């Protein structure tokens, strides 16, 4: 078995009286792609924010490579190789595409020169190379999502946390983003994906969990869940 990168144990998190996560436990191992699916408001974004240190845990623990996330700032976790692509993309709209990539590269100091790092990213996303001197804010939705993923992968993450990469994208752009994610998966990058688009999420992942009102109600190999009628039922609130 490959080593555990992320370990989440009995995680609880709240916004005041609203309990967004109610005892979530799972692991992500090296080389694995794991999807968390669930309806609007199920707690997917809260889970990502809790794991990356942006939302305080009220109970439970989470660690990345054995290090407790509660005692690590988000930028420290990023330096260790856990990179979060937040919902809504988070690119720097008034900066050029290549400036966005350079700032991301500066987050995680390594010996690799920027020219090499950016060349690798452009080979994966040729569209970004064509757009390298444009403002990020002028890119299409799909290109901005690619840029957000590119900002994360420029530092060769061990674990990529992706929050709803298909959000707001047309089917064509969604396909392009997921093609890039498949390539990353096949290159051995570990991915934790939260996504409302069930067929995309299950098509990409090795394993998946269904989150309903802050709890996992179903989990298993993604290929099995793709045929499980309980997945759709959980979206309709009947699980
Ligand atoms: P969506 O797909 O709509 O983003 P989600 O599955 O990501 O949904 P969360 O955004 O994590 O779900 O929300 C989980 C619960 O926490 C919901 O009941 C939501 O209303 C609540 N919530 C989320 N953010 C806040 C906030 N900043 N303040 C108060 N409640 C919040």
């Amino acid at each position: 078995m490959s080593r555990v990168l992320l370990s989440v144990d009995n995680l609880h998190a709240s916004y005041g009286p609203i309990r967004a996560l109610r005892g979530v436990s799972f692991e992500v191992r090296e080389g694995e792609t794991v999807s968390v699916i669930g309806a609007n408001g199920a707690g997917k974004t809260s889970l990502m924010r809790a794991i990356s240190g942006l939302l305080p845990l009220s109970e439970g623990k989470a660690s990345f490579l054995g290090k407790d996330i509660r005692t690590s700032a988000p930028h420290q976790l990023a330096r260790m190789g856990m990179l979060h692509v937040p919902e809504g993309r988070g690119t720097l709209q008034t900066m050029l595409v290549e400036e966005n990539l350079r700032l991301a590269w500066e987050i995680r100091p390594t010996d690799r020169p920027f020219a090499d790092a950016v060349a690798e990213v452009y080979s994966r996303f040729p569209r970004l190379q064509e757009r390298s001197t444009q403002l990020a804010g002028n890119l299409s939705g799909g290109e901005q999502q690619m840029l957000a993923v590119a900002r994360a992968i420029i530092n060769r993450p061990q674990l990529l946390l992706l929050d709803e990469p298909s959000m707001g994208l047309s089917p064509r752009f969604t396909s392009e983003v997921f093609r890039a994610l498949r390539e990353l998966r096949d290159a051995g990058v570990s991915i934790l994906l939260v996504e409302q688009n069930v067929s995309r999420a299950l098509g990409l992942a090795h394993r998946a969990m269904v989150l309903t009102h802050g709890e996992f109600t179903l989990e298993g190999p993604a290929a099995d869940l793709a045929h499980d009628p309980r997945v759709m039922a959980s979206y309709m609130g009947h699980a």
Side-chain angles (χ1 to χ4, degrees):
M1 278 270 235
S2 53
R3 71 181 168 150
V4 173
L5 295 181
L6 176 70
S7 174
V8 173
D9 183 22
N10 191 32
L11 208 73
H12 289 254
S14 302
Y15 302 93
I18 299 168
R19 295 175 62 208
L21 299 172
R22 304 161 184 246
V24 171
S25 304
F26 68 101
E27 286 178 347
V28 180
R29 291 178 174 270
E30 203 159 41
E32 259 195 322
T33 292
V34 176
S35 287
V36 175
I37 55 179
N40 253 329
K44 303 182 299 299
T45 296
S46 303
L47 177 61
M48 286 308 210
R49 297 187 66 231
I51 292 169
S52 50
L54 298 169
L55 176 64
L57 313 184
S58 44
E59 204 183 316
K61 28 180 208 211
S63 59
F64 175 63
L65 289 172
K67 192 159 167 50
D68 189 338
I69 59 134
R70 277 172 306 187
T71 53
S72 319
H75 71 271
Q76 289 173 319
L77 295 168
R79 281 200 188 137
M80 286 170 65
M82 184 171 87
L83 291 174
H84 181 189
V85 181
E87 193 176 40
R89 301 175 198 135
T91 58
L92 304 164
Q93 304 277 299
T94 57
M95 293 188 126
L96 305 181
V97 167
E98 192 150 313
E99 287 171 344
N100 264 273
L101 293 170
R102 179 179 285 279
L103 284 174
W105 171 79
E106 286 170 359
I107 290 172
R108 195 178 175 207
T110 61
D111 292 339
R112 201 160 66 124
F114 177 67
D116 294 355
V118 81
E120 184 181 299
V121 163
Y122 285 155
S123 69
R124 220 176 264 297
F125 297 106
R127 189 90 66 102
L128 293 183
Q129 185 161 24
E130 290 162 23
R131 303 272 192 272
S132 62
T133 57
Q134 292 195 10
L135 291 178
N138 288 343
L139 300 182
S140 70
E143 289 163 351
Q144 287 195 37
Q145 186 64 56
M146 281 177 203
L147 179 58
V149 174
R151 281 168 50 91
I153 66 165
I154 197 163
N155 290 318
R156 291 190 170 153
Q158 309 228 40
L159 177 64
L160 194 56
L161 304 180
L162 285 163
D163 193 349
E164 305 254 5
S166 76
M167 186 156 77
L169 298 187
S170 68
R172 184 167 71 88
F173 283 134
T174 301
S175 296
E176 285 193 27
V177 169
F178 272 81
R179 180 186 49 71
L181 296 180
R182 266 199 310 279
E183 287 176 14
L184 289 176
R185 176 199 67 190
D186 295 344
V189 176
S190 305
I191 300 174
L192 176 65
L193 168 76
V194 307
E195 180 57 69
Q196 270 195 62
N197 187 324
V198 178
S199 59
R200 294 282 181 188
L202 296 181
L204 185 75
H206 302 112
R207 283 191 301 117
M209 289 83 81
V210 179
L211 190 65
T212 313
H213 302 308
E215 289 176 289
F216 288 150
T217 46
L218 268 178
E219 50 188 286
D224 293 353
L225 290 184
H227 303 291
D228 191 326
R230 290 175 298 172
V231 172
M232 268 307 141
S234 72
Y235 269 69
M236 316 300 271
H238 304 309

